[in-house]
Coordinates of all heavy atoms in Angstrom, one line a residue:
M1 N 18.5 19.0 -41.8 CA 19.8 19.5 -41.4 C 20.1 21.0 -41.6 O 20.7 21.6 -40.7 CB 21.0 18.7 -42.4 CG 22.3 19.0 -41.9 SD 22.6 18.5 -40.4 CE 24.3 18.2 -40.3
V2 N 19.3 21.5 -42.7 CA 19.4 23.0 -42.9 C 18.8 23.6 -41.7 O 19.2 24.7 -41.3 CB 18.8 23.4 -44.3 CG1 18.7 24.8 -44.4 CG2 19.6 22.7 -45.4
I3 N 17.7 23.1 -41.2 CA 16.9 23.8 -40.2 C 17.7 23.8 -38.9 O 17.7 24.8 -38.1 CB 15.7 23.1 -39.8 CG1 14.7 23.2 -41.1 CG2 15.0 23.5 -38.7 CD1 13.5 22.3 -41.1
K4 N 18.5 22.7 -38.6 CA 19.4 22.6 -37.5 C 20.5 23.8 -37.6 O 20.8 24.4 -36.6 CB 20.0 21.3 -37.3 CG 18.9 20.2 -37.0 CD 19.6 18.7 -37.0 CE 18.6 17.8 -36.9 NZ 19.2 16.4 -36.9
V5 N 21.0 23.9 -38.7 CA 22.0 24.9 -38.9 C 21.6 26.3 -38.7 O 22.1 27.1 -38.1 CB 22.9 24.8 -40.3 CG1 23.8 25.8 -40.5 CG2 23.4 23.4 -40.3
V6 N 20.3 26.5 -39.2 CA 19.7 27.9 -39.1 C 19.4 28.1 -37.6 O 19.6 29.3 -37.1 CB 18.4 27.9 -39.9 CG1 17.5 29.1 -39.5 CG2 18.8 28.0 -41.5
L7 N 18.9 27.3 -37.0 CA 18.7 27.4 -35.4 C 19.9 27.6 -34.7 O 19.9 28.5 -33.7 CB 17.9 26.1 -34.8 CG 16.4 26.0 -35.2 CD1 15.9 24.6 -34.8 CD2 15.6 27.0 -34.8
L8 N 21.0 26.9 -35.0 CA 22.2 27.1 -34.3 C 22.8 28.6 -34.6 O 23.3 29.1 -33.8 CB 23.3 26.0 -34.7 CG 24.5 25.9 -34.0 CD1 24.4 25.6 -32.6 CD2 25.4 25.0 -34.7
T9 N 22.7 28.8 -35.8 CA 23.1 30.3 -36.2 C 22.4 31.4 -35.4 O 22.8 32.2 -34.9 CB 22.9 30.4 -37.7 OG1 23.7 29.4 -38.4 CG2 23.5 31.9 -38.1
L10 N 21.0 31.1 -35.3 CA 20.1 32.0 -34.6 C 20.6 32.1 -33.1 O 20.4 33.2 -32.5 CB 18.7 31.8 -34.7 CG 18.0 31.9 -36.2 CD1 16.5 31.6 -36.4 CD2 18.1 33.6 -36.3
V11 N 20.7 31.0 -32.6 CA 21.0 31.0 -31.0 C 22.3 31.8 -30.9 O 22.6 32.4 -29.9 CB 20.8 29.6 -30.6 CG1 22.1 28.7 -30.8 CG2 20.8 29.7 -29.0
L12 N 23.3 31.4 -31.7 CA 24.6 32.3 -31.6 C 24.4 33.7 -31.7 O 25.0 34.5 -31.0 CB 25.6 31.6 -32.6 CG 26.1 30.2 -32.3 CD1 27.0 29.7 -33.6 CD2 26.7 30.1 -31.0
V13 N 23.6 34.1 -32.7 CA 23.4 35.6 -32.9 C 22.7 36.1 -31.6 O 22.9 37.3 -31.2 CB 22.6 35.9 -34.1 CG1 22.1 37.2 -34.2 CG2 23.5 35.5 -35.4
Q14 N 21.6 35.4 -31.1 CA 20.9 35.9 -29.9 C 21.7 35.9 -28.7 O 21.7 36.7 -27.9 CB 19.8 35.1 -29.7 CG 18.7 35.4 -30.7 CD 17.4 34.7 -30.3 OE1 17.3 33.8 -29.5 NE2 16.2 35.2 -30.9
I15 N 22.8 34.9 -28.6 CA 23.7 34.9 -27.5 C 24.6 36.0 -27.5 O 24.8 36.8 -26.6 CB 24.4 33.5 -27.4 CG1 23.4 32.5 -26.9 CG2 25.5 33.7 -26.4 CD1 24.0 31.2 -26.9
I16 N 25.1 36.4 -28.7 CA 25.9 37.5 -28.8 C 25.2 38.8 -28.5 O 25.8 39.7 -27.9 CB 26.6 37.6 -30.3 CG1 27.6 36.5 -30.4 CG2 27.3 38.8 -30.5 CD1 28.0 36.2 -31.9
Y17 N 24.1 38.9 -29.1 CA 23.3 40.2 -28.7 C 22.9 40.2 -27.2 O 23.1 41.3 -26.6 CB 21.8 40.1 -29.4 CG 20.9 41.2 -29.2 CD1 21.1 42.5 -29.5 CD2 19.7 40.9 -28.5 CE1 20.3 43.6 -29.3 CE2 18.8 42.0 -28.1 CZ 19.1 43.2 -28.6 OH 18.3 44.1 -28.3
L18 N 22.6 39.1 -26.6 CA 22.4 39.1 -25.1 C 23.6 39.6 -24.4 O 23.6 40.3 -23.4 CB 21.9 37.6 -24.6 CG 21.7 37.4 -23.1 CD1 20.6 38.3 -22.7 CD2 21.5 36.1 -22.9
L19 N 24.9 39.0 -24.7 CA 26.1 39.4 -23.9 C 26.4 40.9 -24.2 O 26.8 41.5 -23.2 CB 27.1 38.5 -24.6 CG 27.1 37.1 -24.1 CD1 28.2 36.3 -24.8 CD2 27.1 36.8 -22.6
I20 N 26.2 41.5 -25.3 CA 26.3 42.9 -25.6 C 25.3 43.6 -24.7 O 25.7 44.7 -24.0 CB 26.0 43.2 -27.0 CG1 27.3 42.6 -27.8 CG2 26.0 44.8 -27.3 CD1 27.1 42.8 -29.4
K21 N 24.1 43.2 -24.6 CA 23.0 43.9 -23.8 C 23.4 43.8 -22.3 O 23.2 44.8 -21.6 CB 21.6 43.3 -24.1 CG 20.6 44.2 -23.6 CD 19.4 43.9 -24.2 CE 18.4 44.9 -23.8 NZ 17.1 44.9 -24.6
V22 N 23.9 42.7 -21.8 CA 24.4 42.5 -20.5 C 25.5 43.3 -20.2 O 25.5 43.9 -19.1 CB 24.6 41.0 -20.2 CG1 25.4 40.8 -18.8 CG2 23.3 40.2 -20.2
K23 N 26.5 43.4 -21.1 CA 27.7 44.3 -20.9 C 27.2 45.7 -20.7 O 27.9 46.5 -19.9 CB 28.7 44.1 -22.1 CG 29.8 44.9 -21.9 CD 30.8 44.7 -23.1 CE 32.1 45.5 -22.9 NZ 32.8 45.4 -24.1
N24 N 26.2 46.2 -21.5 CA 25.8 47.6 -21.4 C 24.8 47.9 -20.3 O 24.5 49.1 -20.1 CB 25.2 48.1 -22.8 CG 26.4 48.0 -23.9 OD1 27.5 48.2 -23.6 ND2 25.9 47.8 -25.0
S25 N 24.5 46.9 -19.5 CA 23.3 47.1 -18.6 C 24.0 47.2 -17.2 O 24.8 46.7 -17.0 CB 22.3 45.9 -18.6 OG 21.4 46.0 -17.5
K26 N 23.2 48.1 -16.4 CA 23.7 48.3 -15.0 C 23.1 47.0 -14.1 O 23.6 46.6 -13.1 CB 23.1 49.5 -14.5 CG 23.7 50.7 -15.1 CD 23.2 51.9 -14.5 CE 23.7 53.2 -15.3 NZ 23.0 54.4 -15.0
E27 N 21.9 46.5 -14.5 CA 21.2 45.4 -13.8 C 21.5 44.1 -14.5 O 20.7 43.6 -15.3 CB 19.8 45.7 -13.7 CG 19.4 47.0 -13.1 CD 19.5 47.0 -11.5 OE1 19.4 45.7 -11.1 OE2 19.8 47.9 -11.0
K28 N 22.8 43.5 -14.2 CA 23.0 42.3 -15.0 C 22.3 41.1 -14.4 O 22.1 40.1 -15.1 CB 24.5 42.2 -14.8 CG 25.5 43.2 -15.4 CD 26.9 42.8 -15.2 CE 27.8 44.0 -15.7 NZ 27.6 44.7 -16.8
K29 N 21.9 41.2 -13.2 CA 21.2 39.8 -12.6 C 19.9 39.7 -13.2 O 19.4 38.5 -13.0 CB 21.1 40.0 -11.1 CG 20.1 41.1 -10.6 CD 20.1 41.3 -9.1 CE 19.1 42.4 -8.7 NZ 19.1 42.5 -7.3
H30 N 19.2 40.6 -13.8 CA 17.9 40.4 -14.4 C 18.1 39.6 -15.7 O 17.0 39.2 -16.2 CB 17.2 41.8 -14.8 CG 17.0 42.5 -13.6 ND1 16.0 42.1 -12.7 CD2 17.5 43.6 -13.0 CE1 16.0 42.9 -11.6 NE2 16.8 43.9 -11.8
Y31 N 19.3 39.4 -16.3 CA 19.5 38.7 -17.5 C 19.8 37.2 -17.2 O 20.2 36.3 -18.2 CB 20.5 39.3 -18.5 CG 20.0 40.7 -18.9 CD1 20.4 41.9 -18.3 CD2 19.2 40.6 -20.1 CE1 19.9 43.1 -18.8 CE2 18.8 41.8 -20.5 CZ 19.1 43.1 -20.0 OH 18.8 44.2 -20.4
I32 N 19.8 36.8 -15.9 CA 20.2 35.4 -15.6 C 19.2 34.4 -16.3 O 19.7 33.4 -16.8 CB 20.4 35.2 -14.1 CG1 21.6 35.9 -13.7 CG2 20.5 33.8 -13.7 CD1 21.8 36.0 -12.1
P33 N 17.9 34.6 -16.2 CA 17.0 33.7 -16.9 C 17.2 33.6 -18.4 O 17.2 32.4 -19.0 CB 15.6 34.2 -16.6 CG 15.8 35.1 -15.4 CD 17.2 35.6 -15.5
A34 N 17.6 34.7 -19.0 CA 17.9 34.6 -20.5 C 19.2 33.8 -20.8 O 19.3 33.0 -21.7 CB 18.0 36.1 -21.1
L35 N 20.2 34.0 -19.8 CA 21.4 33.1 -20.0 C 21.1 31.7 -19.9 O 21.7 30.8 -20.5 CB 22.5 33.7 -19.1 CG 23.1 35.0 -19.4 CD1 23.9 35.5 -18.3 CD2 23.8 35.0 -20.7
L36 N 20.3 31.4 -18.9 CA 20.0 29.9 -18.7 C 19.2 29.3 -19.8 O 19.4 28.2 -20.3 CB 19.1 29.8 -17.4 CG 19.9 30.0 -16.1 CD1 18.9 30.0 -14.8 CD2 21.0 29.0 -15.9
V37 N 18.2 30.1 -20.4 CA 17.5 29.7 -21.6 C 18.4 29.5 -22.7 O 18.3 28.6 -23.5 CB 16.4 30.6 -21.8 CG1 15.7 30.3 -23.2 CG2 15.3 30.6 -20.8
S38 N 19.3 30.3 -22.8 CA 20.3 30.2 -24.1 C 21.2 29.0 -23.9 O 21.5 28.3 -24.9 CB 21.2 31.5 -24.2 OG 22.1 31.6 -23.0
V39 N 21.6 28.7 -22.7 CA 22.3 27.4 -22.5 C 21.6 26.2 -22.8 O 22.0 25.3 -23.5 CB 23.0 27.4 -21.1 CG1 23.5 26.1 -20.8 CG2 24.0 28.5 -20.9
I40 N 20.4 26.2 -22.3 CA 19.5 25.1 -22.4 C 19.2 24.9 -24.0 O 19.1 23.8 -24.5 CB 18.2 25.1 -21.7 CG1 18.5 25.0 -20.2 CG2 17.2 24.1 -22.2 CD1 17.4 25.4 -19.2
T41 N 18.8 25.9 -24.7 CA 18.5 25.9 -26.2 C 19.6 25.6 -26.8 O 19.6 24.7 -27.9 CB 18.0 27.4 -26.6 OG1 16.9 27.7 -25.8 CG2 17.6 27.3 -28.0
G42 N 20.9 26.1 -26.6 CA 22.1 25.7 -27.4 C 22.3 24.2 -27.2 O 22.8 23.6 -28.1
W43 N 22.2 23.8 -26.0 CA 22.5 22.3 -25.7 C 21.5 21.4 -26.5 O 21.8 20.4 -27.2 CB 22.5 22.0 -24.2 CG 22.7 20.6 -23.9 CD1 21.7 19.7 -23.7 CD2 23.9 19.8 -24.1 NE1 22.2 18.3 -23.5 CE2 23.6 18.4 -23.7 CE3 25.2 20.2 -24.5 CZ2 24.6 17.5 -23.7 CZ3 26.1 19.1 -24.5 CH2 25.9 17.9 -24.2
S44 N 20.2 21.8 -26.5 CA 19.2 20.9 -27.2 C 19.4 21.0 -28.8 O 19.3 20.0 -29.4 CB 17.8 21.4 -26.9 OG 17.5 22.7 -27.4
I45 N 19.8 22.2 -29.3 CA 20.2 22.2 -30.8 C 21.4 21.4 -31.0 O 21.4 20.6 -32.1 CB 20.4 23.7 -31.1 CG1 19.1 24.5 -31.1 CG2 21.0 23.7 -32.6 CD1 19.3 25.9 -31.4
Y46 N 22.5 21.3 -30.2 CA 23.6 20.6 -30.4 C 23.3 19.1 -30.3 O 23.7 18.3 -31.1 CB 24.6 20.9 -29.2 CG 25.8 19.9 -29.1 CD1 26.8 19.9 -30.1 CD2 25.9 19.0 -28.2 CE1 27.8 19.1 -30.1 CE2 26.9 18.1 -28.1 CZ 27.9 18.1 -29.1 OH 28.9 17.2 -28.9
K47 N 22.4 18.7 -29.3 CA 21.9 17.3 -29.3 C 21.2 16.8 -30.5 O 21.1 15.6 -30.8 CB 21.2 17.0 -28.0 CG 22.1 17.0 -26.8 CD 23.3 16.1 -26.8 CE 22.7 14.6 -26.6 NZ 23.8 13.6 -26.6
S48 N 20.4 17.7 -31.1 CA 19.6 17.4 -32.2 C 20.4 16.9 -33.4 O 19.8 16.3 -34.3 CB 18.6 18.6 -32.6 OG 19.3 19.6 -33.2
F49 N 21.6 17.3 -33.5 CA 22.5 16.8 -34.6 C 22.7 15.5 -34.6 O 23.0 14.8 -35.6 CB 23.9 17.7 -34.6 CG 23.8 19.1 -35.2 CD1 23.8 20.1 -34.4 CD2 23.7 19.2 -36.5 CE1 23.6 21.4 -34.8 CE2 23.6 20.5 -37.0 CZ 23.5 21.5 -36.2
T50 N 22.7 14.8 -33.4 CA 22.9 13.3 -33.3 C 21.6 12.5 -33.2 O 21.7 11.3 -33.2 CB 23.7 13.0 -32.1 OG1 23.1 13.4 -30.9 CG2 25.1 13.8 -32.0
M51 N 20.5 13.2 -33.3 CA 19.2 12.5 -33.3 C 18.5 12.1 -34.6 O 18.9 12.9 -35.5 CB 18.2 13.2 -32.3 CG 18.6 13.4 -31.0 SD 17.4 14.4 -30.2 CE 17.9 14.4 -28.5
Y52 N 17.8 11.2 -34.6 CA 17.0 10.9 -36.0 C 15.6 10.7 -35.6 O 15.2 10.3 -34.4 CB 17.6 9.8 -36.6 CG 19.0 9.8 -37.0 CD1 20.1 9.4 -36.3 CD2 19.4 10.6 -38.2 CE1 21.4 9.5 -36.6 CE2 20.7 10.8 -38.5 CZ 21.7 10.1 -37.7 OH 23.0 10.4 -38.1
G53 N 14.8 10.9 -36.6 CA 13.2 10.6 -36.5 C 12.5 11.6 -35.7 O 12.8 12.8 -35.7
F54 N 11.6 11.2 -34.9 CA 10.7 12.0 -34.2 C 11.4 12.7 -33.0 O 11.1 13.9 -32.7 CB 9.4 11.3 -33.6 CG 8.4 11.0 -34.7 CD1 8.2 9.7 -35.1 CD2 7.8 12.1 -35.4 CE1 7.4 9.4 -36.1 CE2 6.9 11.8 -36.5 CZ 6.7 10.4 -36.8
A55 N 12.4 12.1 -32.5 CA 13.2 12.8 -31.4 C 13.8 14.1 -31.9 O 13.9 15.1 -31.2 CB 14.2 11.8 -30.9
A56 N 14.5 13.9 -33.1 CA 15.0 15.1 -33.6 C 14.0 16.3 -34.0 O 14.2 17.5 -33.7 CB 15.8 14.9 -34.9
V57 N 12.7 15.8 -34.4 CA 11.7 16.8 -34.7 C 11.3 17.5 -33.4 O 11.1 18.6 -33.4 CB 10.6 16.1 -35.5 CG1 9.4 17.1 -35.6 CG2 11.0 15.7 -36.8
Y58 N 11.0 16.7 -32.4 CA 10.7 17.2 -31.2 C 11.7 18.2 -30.5 O 11.3 19.2 -29.9 CB 10.2 16.2 -30.1 CG 9.0 15.4 -30.5 CD1 9.0 14.0 -30.3 CD2 7.9 16.0 -31.2 CE1 7.9 13.3 -30.6 CE2 6.8 15.2 -31.5 CZ 6.8 13.9 -31.2 OH 5.6 13.2 -31.7
T59 N 12.9 17.8 -30.7 CA 14.0 18.6 -30.1 C 14.1 19.9 -30.9 O 14.4 20.9 -30.3 CB 15.3 18.0 -30.1 OG1 15.2 16.7 -29.5 CG2 16.5 18.7 -29.5
I60 N 13.9 19.8 -32.2 CA 14.0 21.1 -32.9 C 12.8 22.0 -32.7 O 13.0 23.3 -32.5 CB 13.9 20.8 -34.6 CG1 15.3 20.2 -34.9 CG2 13.7 22.1 -35.4 CD1 15.3 19.7 -36.3
I61 N 11.5 21.5 -32.5 CA 10.5 22.2 -32.0 C 10.8 22.9 -30.6 O 10.5 24.2 -30.4 CB 9.2 21.5 -32.1 CG1 8.7 21.1 -33.4 CG2 8.1 22.2 -31.3 CD1 7.8 20.0 -33.5
F62 N 11.4 22.2 -29.8 CA 11.7 22.7 -28.4 C 12.7 23.8 -28.5 O 12.7 24.7 -27.9 CB 12.2 21.5 -27.5 CG 12.6 22.0 -26.1 CD1 11.7 22.2 -25.2 CD2 14.0 22.0 -25.9 CE1 12.2 22.7 -23.9 CE2 14.4 22.4 -24.6 CZ 13.5 22.8 -23.6
S63 N 13.7 23.6 -29.5 CA 14.6 24.6 -29.7 C 14.1 25.9 -30.3 O 14.4 27.0 -29.8 CB 15.8 24.0 -30.5 OG 16.3 22.9 -30.0
A64 N 13.2 25.8 -31.1 CA 12.5 27.0 -31.7 C 11.8 27.7 -30.6 O 11.9 28.9 -30.6 CB 11.7 26.6 -32.9
F65 N 11.1 27.1 -29.8 CA 10.3 27.6 -28.7 C 11.3 28.4 -27.8 O 11.0 29.4 -27.3 CB 9.5 26.6 -28.0 CG 8.7 27.2 -26.8 CD1 7.7 28.0 -27.2 CD2 9.1 27.0 -25.6 CE1 7.0 28.7 -25.9 CE2 8.4 27.4 -24.5 CZ 7.4 28.2 -24.7
G66 N 12.5 27.7 -27.4 CA 13.5 28.1 -26.7 C 14.2 29.6 -27.2 O 14.4 30.5 -26.5
L67 N 14.2 29.6 -28.6 CA 14.7 30.8 -29.2 C 13.7 31.9 -29.1 O 14.1 33.1 -28.9 CB 15.0 30.6 -30.6 CG 16.3 29.7 -31.0 CD1 16.3 29.3 -32.5 CD2 17.5 30.5 -30.6
L68 N 12.5 31.7 -29.1 CA 11.4 32.6 -28.9 C 11.4 33.1 -27.4 O 11.4 34.3 -27.3 CB 10.0 32.0 -29.3 CG 8.9 33.0 -29.0 CD1 8.9 34.2 -30.1 CD2 7.5 32.3 -29.2
V69 N 11.5 32.3 -26.6 CA 11.6 32.7 -25.2 C 12.9 33.4 -24.8 O 12.8 34.5 -24.2 CB 11.5 31.4 -24.2 CG1 11.9 31.7 -22.8 CG2 10.2 30.8 -24.4
L70 N 14.0 33.1 -25.5 CA 15.3 33.8 -25.4 C 15.2 35.2 -25.9 O 15.6 36.1 -25.2 CB 16.4 33.0 -26.1 CG 17.8 33.7 -26.0 CD1 18.3 33.9 -24.6 CD2 18.7 32.9 -26.8
F71 N 14.5 35.4 -27.0 CA 14.3 36.7 -27.6 C 13.4 37.5 -26.7 O 13.8 38.8 -26.4 CB 13.6 36.5 -28.9 CG 13.4 37.8 -29.7 CD1 14.4 38.7 -30.3 CD2 12.0 38.3 -29.8 CE1 14.1 39.9 -30.8 CE2 11.8 39.6 -30.3 CZ 12.9 40.3 -30.8
V72 N 12.4 37.1 -26.1 CA 11.6 37.8 -25.2 C 12.3 38.1 -23.9 O 12.1 39.4 -23.5 CB 10.3 37.0 -24.9 CG1 9.4 37.6 -23.7 CG2 9.4 36.9 -26.2
F73 N 13.0 37.2 -23.3 CA 13.8 37.5 -22.1 C 14.9 38.5 -22.4 O 15.2 39.2 -21.5 CB 14.4 36.2 -21.6 CG 13.4 35.3 -20.9 CD1 12.0 35.7 -20.7 CD2 13.8 34.2 -20.1 CE1 11.2 35.0 -19.9 CE2 12.9 33.5 -19.4 CZ 11.7 33.9 -19.2
T74 N 15.4 38.5 -23.5 CA 16.4 39.4 -23.9 C 15.9 41.0 -24.0 O 16.5 41.9 -23.5 CB 17.3 39.0 -25.2 OG1 17.8 37.8 -24.9 CG2 18.4 40.0 -25.4
K75 N 14.7 41.0 -24.9 CA 14.1 42.3 -24.9 C 13.4 42.9 -23.7 O 13.5 44.0 -23.4 CB 13.1 42.1 -26.0 CG 13.6 41.9 -27.4 CD 14.7 43.1 -27.8 CE 13.9 43.8 -29.0 NZ 14.8 44.9 -29.4
H76 N 12.8 42.0 -22.9 CA 12.1 42.4 -21.7 C 12.5 41.5 -20.6 O 11.9 40.5 -20.4 CB 10.6 42.3 -22.0 CG 10.2 43.1 -23.2 ND1 10.1 44.4 -23.2 CD2 9.7 42.7 -24.4 CE1 9.7 44.9 -24.3 NE2 9.4 43.9 -25.2
P77 N 13.6 41.7 -19.9 CA 13.9 40.8 -18.8 C 12.8 40.7 -17.8 O 12.3 41.7 -17.4 CB 15.2 41.5 -18.3 CG 15.7 42.5 -19.3 CD 14.5 42.9 -19.9
P78 N 12.8 39.4 -17.2 CA 11.7 39.2 -16.3 C 12.4 39.8 -15.0 O 13.5 40.1 -14.8 CB 11.7 37.7 -16.1 CG 12.9 37.1 -16.8 CD 13.4 38.2 -17.7
F79 N 11.5 40.3 -14.1 CA 11.6 40.8 -12.8 C 12.4 42.2 -12.8 O 12.9 42.7 -11.9 CB 12.6 39.9 -11.9 CG 12.2 38.4 -12.0 CD1 12.9 37.5 -12.5 CD2 11.0 38.1 -11.4 CE1 12.5 36.2 -12.6 CE2 10.5 36.8 -11.5 CZ 11.4 35.8 -12.0
L80 N 12.4 42.8 -13.9 CA 12.9 44.1 -14.1 C 11.8 45.1 -14.2 O 11.0 45.0 -15.0 CB 13.8 44.3 -15.4 CG 14.4 45.6 -15.7 CD1 15.3 46.0 -14.6 CD2 15.1 45.6 -17.1
K81 N 11.8 46.0 -13.2 CA 10.8 47.0 -13.4 C 11.2 48.2 -14.1 O 12.2 49.0 -13.7 CB 10.4 47.6 -11.8 CG 9.9 46.4 -11.0 CD 9.6 47.0 -9.5 CE 9.0 45.8 -8.8 NZ 8.9 46.3 -7.4
E82 N 10.6 48.4 -15.3 CA 11.0 49.5 -16.3 C 10.5 50.9 -15.7 O 9.3 50.9 -15.3 CB 10.7 49.3 -17.7 CG 11.3 47.8 -18.1 CD 10.9 47.7 -19.5 OE1 10.4 48.5 -20.2 OE2 11.2 46.6 -20.0
K83 N 11.2 51.9 -15.9 CA 10.9 53.1 -15.5 C 10.0 53.8 -16.7 O 10.4 53.7 -17.8 CB 12.0 54.1 -15.1 CG 12.8 53.6 -14.0 CD 14.0 54.3 -13.7 CE 14.9 53.8 -12.6 NZ 16.0 54.5 -12.4
N84 N 9.0 54.4 -16.3 CA 8.2 55.1 -17.4 C 8.5 56.5 -17.6 O 8.9 57.2 -16.8 CB 6.6 55.0 -17.0 CG 6.1 53.6 -17.0 OD1 6.6 52.8 -17.7 ND2 5.1 53.2 -16.3

C-alpha cells in the first residue's frame, strides 16, 4: 500500500511539472505523448488500489515504468528538434 501511495504522489508531482513546462513552452503539441502517458499511468495506479495479488504487482511495475517514460518524455519531448 505504501508503494502505491508513493507512486501516486510521484505521478502527481510529475504531472504538475509537466503542466508547468507545457505552460512555459511555445511548442505545446510536442508534449501530447507525455500527457497521454501521464493519463495512462495515473489510471493504472488508481486501478492498482482495488487489485490484489499478482495483478497488483504487475500493475505497479507497469506504473513505475510509465513514470520513467513520463519523466523522459517531459525532459526530452519526442519529435522536438532541439536547437544546438
Side-chain angles (χ1 to χ4, degrees):
M1 184 67 155
V2 174
I3 295 172
K4 295 175 188 178
V5 173
V6 169
L7 286 175
L8 189 62
T9 305
L10 285 174
V11 78
L12 289 175
V13 168
Q14 284 189 344
I15 289 172
I16 291 170
Y17 176 70
L18 175 66
L19 292 176
I20 290 170
K21 196 158 184 172
V22 167
K23 183 180 176 186
N24 295 333
S25 175
K26 296 176 184 175
E27 299 289 332
K28 295 182 190 318
K29 67 181 179 180
H30 296 292
Y31 291 99
I32 292 173
L35 290 170
L36 291 174
V37 170
S38 67
V39 168
I40 293 169
T41 303
W43 178 253
S44 65
I45 292 171
Y46 170 74
K47 290 302 287 180
S48 72
F49 280 104
T50 60
M51 295 179 178
Y52 297 101
F54 287 113
V57 172
Y58 293 140
T59 305
I60 290 171
I61 292 170
F62 177 72
S63 300
F65 180 72
L67 284 172
L68 177 67
V69 171
L70 177 61
F71 178 74
V72 170
F73 279 4
T74 303
K75 293 298 254 180
H76 306 286
F79 314 116
L80 178 65
K81 296 179 181 175
E82 297 182 13
K83 297 175 183 174
N84 293 330

